[in-house]
Amino acid sequence: ITQPNEKTGEFEGYNFIYFMVEAFDYLSIDKDLTPTLYKLVNSGFVFENLYSPTIFSTIGGEFQEVTGLYPAAYATFKKGTTYFPMGLGTVFKENNYLVKAYHNNTYTFQNRNLYLNSLGFDSFVACRNGLEEKINCKQWPQSDVEMIEAPVDDYINSEVPFMTYYVSVSGHSGYTWGNAMSKKHKAEIEALNLGYSEGVLAYLAAQMELDKALDELIKKLDEAGVLEETVIAIVGDHYPYGLTPEEISEFKGHTIDEEYELFESSMIIWTPEMKGETVEKLCSKICSEYFSR
C-alpha cells in the first residue's frame, strides 16, 4: 500500500466506477467531437505528463492498471492462480462495497474470467456469460453505450457503496468504415470536414461511442441521486497502435517522436464537486492504480 499523503481519504465512502478503455488516448479528446470526455479531462485531475507504456498489448495494460505492477509476470497472471491480497475487487469488498465487473466482448478473452476473479471480482458479466441477453454481442466491435446502459440497474440503487469496473471495446482497431462503431458515427465525423485520412477519422468516430456512453452514465447517476458521491476514473490499455505513426503524426501536425511522444496519453479521475487540479508529476497506468487506492 502507498504511504498516506494529502489526498488520502479525499473520496472515502464514494462510489467508484473504473474504466479501462480500448486505445484511449488524448488524441480522442476534443471539445466538439467528444464533449463529455473533454469536460471530465479538464475539470478533474489534469495529467500533463502521463504515459501509457504498451507492454504485452491489452493484457499488459490491464495488469498495470489493476495491480499497479509492471507486467513482467503476465503469463502467470492470465492463469488466475496468483493471489492478490490487494486486488482491486478484494480491497473494495473488504470495505463493504458492492463489486461488479463488465466487458462488452467475450468473457473468456485472454482469460479475463480467471484473472479478474483472482483480483476479487466474483461478479464478472460479459458476452457469452450473460451480457449477450442485454446487448448486441454479434457486432464488432461492440457498443460501449449498450455495455453501460444494460447493467446499470444492477448496482446504481445499491444500499451500500458500489465499485464497478468496465472494460470497454468500442475503440478497437481496425480503423476503417467497416468498423461497426466507426460506421455508426461516420456521418457525424464527415460533416465536420476535418480533412484527415480514413484511419484517423475512423478512430475518432469509434471513440465517440465511448463519449456518448459516458454521457448516458452521468445522466443515469444524476437521476438516481448518486452522481455527486461517485468518482469516475478512466485509463487506456495502450496507445492507439491500430493507427500508424504516420497517421498519428498527421493528426498532431508534426512527425512524432516514437520513443516517448507516441506513448503520451491521458487519464481521468473526476467527480462533479471537485475543483480541477493539474498533476505535473511524470506517471503512467501504475500511477492510476496509486490513485485508485
Side-chain angles (χ1 to χ4, degrees), residues 58 86 214 237 271-272 281-282:
T58 295
M86 294 303 299
L214 289 168
D237 53 355
T271 191
K281 178 182 179 181
L282 181 67

Side-chain angles (χ1 to χ4, degrees), residues 139-153:
Q139 60 186 336
W140 174 251
Q142 293 87 356
S143 165
D144 286 352
V145 171
E146 292 178 9
M147 175 182 67
I148 287 176
E149 286 184 337
V152 70
D153 290 337

Side-chain angles (χ1 to χ4, degrees), residues 24-45:
F24 179 62
D25 194 273
Y26 76 98
L27 297 175
S28 64
I29 298 168
D30 182 88
K31 187 175 182 179
D32 298 316
L33 288 175
T34 51
T36 304
L37 283 169
Y38 184 87
K39 178 181 73 174
L40 269 55
V41 163
N42 290 288
S43 60
F45 288 101

Side-chain angles (χ1 to χ4, degrees), residues 133-178:
E133 298 175 4
K134 298 181 178 181
I135 76 169
N136 178 8
C137 287
K138 295 181 180 180
Q139 60 186 336
W140 174 251
Q142 293 87 356
S143 165
D144 286 352
V145 171
E146 292 178 9
M147 175 182 67
I148 287 176
E149 286 184 337
V152 70
D153 290 337
D154 294 348
Y155 63 84
I156 202 168
N157 296 310
S158 172
E159 295 182 359
V160 298
F162 56 81
M163 187 274 165
T164 303
Y165 177 48
Y166 283 111
V167 180
S168 90
V169 79
S170 284
H172 204 286
S173 58
Y175 302 122
T176 70
W177 297 128

Side-chain angles (χ1 to χ4, degrees), residues 61 83 102 120 187 192:
Y83 175 51
Y102 301 95
L192 297 173

